[in-house]
Amino acid sequence: VVCVMGNGMVIDPHHLDGEINKLREQGVEISPANLKISDRATITMPYHVEQDGLEEARLSKTGAQFGSTKRGIAYSYGDKYMKKTLRMGDLVHMDAGVKKRLETIVESKNLTMVNIYGQKPVSVDEMWAWCKKYSKLFAPYICDVGDYLDKADREGKKIMFEAQLGALRDIDFGIYPYTSSSCTLAGYATIGAGIPGLKLDKTIGIMKAYSSCVGEGPFTVEMFGDEAEALRRAGGEYGAATGRPRRVGAFDIPASRYGVRMHGADCIALTKMDVLSYMDKIPVCVAYDINGEITEKFPVGERLNAAKPVFEYMEGFGDISGCRKPEDLPKAAMDYIRYLEAAVGCKIKYVSVGAGRDEYVEL
């Protein structure tokens, strides 16, 4: 198995180094043989991370923050589209031309950091030393991953793309502006990886058996108080990177149906179904009430802000953690699965009933 970090990514070498070290501490071998980093991927610089924190702090004073992870991702993408970034390939060729570009980039960035945020100027020398440090670490991993993946495809090898975020966090099709800063749709996978001429042959939509949300913005089915805390505890809904509590709620059919359409999902893997085992009645949002109008379509803008959930309730099904075959599932559990499947309009192929690799049912 080879992990490939594609062209469309923004990469923080400092953060990546930390992730690699954590994996190595767990006995995972990582080398240029099994990790390939695109020479076209954008570098997240230290000042991107700093700017992210400064802007989120500024916005929080007015209650208009986005709920950023403060890792500089939006600012890396912003500078990428203004053509004011370095790319991972530049770490392979640390010459006078790259340093001149860095000087120009830093000069531009200081207009923001000094004049808007009142910070001391970013130092070119410090940024150059930072780049040289990570050049030594990562230069052996950096390559033309598009060429690597194209060759793998021609040799008949299997390529699997893993998504990080769903349709509602896509920069163009999500709940703007409470989105990521990139395209998160399945259709972008081959483009972002560096092989835009190839086509996906199967797309599996990943959905929890309930809803969760990271960050700010409208979340129509959100639970609050003890009800939310019970579901959060049962599902372990705390950020993997930040540890912050996630917002949680009932399964949202209008949003899920929209997600299936945006991704072109061929089937669904329904995860964390076992988490609902403590519920006697399971709420499912079947439609939205927008100022008295009932709609089953996922809205945008102010209509989404005004939307209130319309719930139906399904029978609870108890503990299903020991189930491994469809016939093991209680009738109420299968009823819940088939109800969601019909409402969302996509076959549910896999149902996870625990956190282990083998703790799932294939339908």
Side-chain angles (χ1 to χ4, degrees):
V1 176
V2 178
C3 176
V4 175
M5 305 182 75
N7 296 14
M9 295 187 71
V10 295
I11 297 175
D12 180 346
H14 173 73
H15 184 79
L16 178 59
D17 182 41
E19 291 289 305
I20 289 173
N21 289 332
K22 287 179 184 177
L23 289 171
R24 284 175 172 158
E25 288 170 3
Q26 297 173 41
V28 179
E29 182 180 343
I30 299 175
S31 73
N34 63 4
L35 174 61
K36 309 289 183 182
I37 301 174
S38 173
D39 54 5
R40 293 173 172 83
T42 297
I43 298 175
T44 296
M45 301 290 288
Y47 51 73
H48 289 132
V49 179
E50 183 182 5
Q51 186 178 359
D52 198 346
L54 290 167
E55 181 64 7
E56 193 74 357
R58 187 186 72 83
L59 291 172
S60 67
K61 295 175 183 177
T62 61
Q65 67 271 25
F66 297 123
S68 169
T69 57
K70 301 178 185 178
R71 284 182 43 199
I73 295 171
Y75 299 89
S76 304
Y77 275 113
D79 282 353
K80 168 185 174 177
Y81 287 107
M82 290 193 292
K83 298 175 285 292
K84 294 179 179 178
T85 54
L86 297 180
R87 302 201 291 183
M88 292 299 288
D90 292 321
L91 298 184
V92 181
H93 305 287
M94 296 281 287
D95 55 21
V98 173
K99 188 168 187 181
K100 180 62 177 176
R101 283 183 48 232
L102 179 62
E103 290 171 353
T104 302
I105 291 168
V106 168
E107 180 183 18
S108 175
K109 181 58 64 176
N110 277 333
L111 295 174
T112 300
M113 299 302 284
V114 176
N115 297 327
I116 295 179
Y117 295 111
Q119 303 298 300
K120 68 177 184 179
V122 177
S123 165
V124 172
D125 290 339
E126 288 180 7
M127 292 302 97
W128 184 247
W130 185 89
C131 288
K132 289 181 73 173
K133 172 184 175 181
Y134 291 107
S135 171
K136 292 177 181 178
L137 281 175
F138 290 117
Y141 296 83
I142 298 167
C143 64
D144 183 343
V145 299
D147 182 66
Y148 175 82
L149 290 172
D150 180 69
K151 182 174 182 290
D153 179 69
R154 285 187 280 107
E155 292 174 350
K157 295 178 180 178
K158 294 182 179 180
I159 302 173
M160 181 175 71
F161 302 97
E162 181 188 9
Q164 179 190 16
L165 298 166
L168 299 187
R169 289 293 181 251
D170 183 86
I171 186 67
D172 292 317
F173 296 94
I175 307 173
Y176 189 85
Y178 304 100
T179 66
S180 183
S181 299
S182 61
C183 181
T184 64
L185 302 183
Y188 184 74
T190 57
I191 299 171
I195 45 175
L198 300 184
K199 296 178 176 62
L200 299 177
D201 54 25
K202 186 176 184 180
T203 301
I204 302 176
I206 312 296
M207 293 183 182
K208 291 178 183 175
Y210 54 93
S211 298
S212 64
C213 175
V214 175
E216 304 294 329
F219 183 30
T220 307
V221 297
E222 184 168 12
M223 294 176 177
F224 299 94
D226 293 342
E227 184 183 32
E229 189 53 35
L231 180 53
R232 189 178 294 115
R233 282 199 308 269
E237 293 296 343
Y238 302 90
T242 63
R244 61 182 175 178
R246 296 190 184 113
R247 300 159 71 188
V248 294
F251 190 92
D252 188 330
I253 287 173
S256 300
R257 188 188 296 120
Y258 177 79
V260 164
R261 181 164 66 88
M262 290 298 100
H263 286 290
D266 297 300
C267 64
I268 291 170
L270 189 69
T271 68
K272 290 194 165 185
M273 182 136 162
D274 57 300
V275 169
L276 304 180
S277 63
Y278 72 93
M279 291 185 176
D280 295 325
K281 294 287 185 180
I282 302 173
V284 178
C285 175
V286 298
Y288 294 161
D289 182 338
I290 304 176
N291 300 320
E293 173 197 348
I294 305 300
T295 180
E296 295 181 355
K297 292 184 178 181
F298 188 76
V300 297
E302 289 305 311
R303 282 175 56 79
L304 181 58
N305 290 333
K308 293 179 172 53
V310 177
F311 288 119
E312 290 187 4
Y313 291 85
M314 304 290 292
E315 289 295 325
F317 41 74
D319 183 15
I320 57 171
S321 60
C323 300
R324 294 296 181 271
K325 301 186 296 296
E327 54 267 31
D328 296 338
L329 291 168
K331 180 179 182 299
M334 189 59 75
D335 287 346
Y336 185 72
I337 293 166
R338 296 307 183 198
Y339 183 86
L340 299 187
E341 184 178 70
V344 170
C346 187
K347 178 179 175 58
I348 294 175
K349 178 70 173 174
Y350 308 97
V351 179
S352 78
V353 294
R357 291 177 68 89
D358 64 340
E359 294 179 347
Y360 70 95
V361 176
E362 182 173 352
L363 303 180

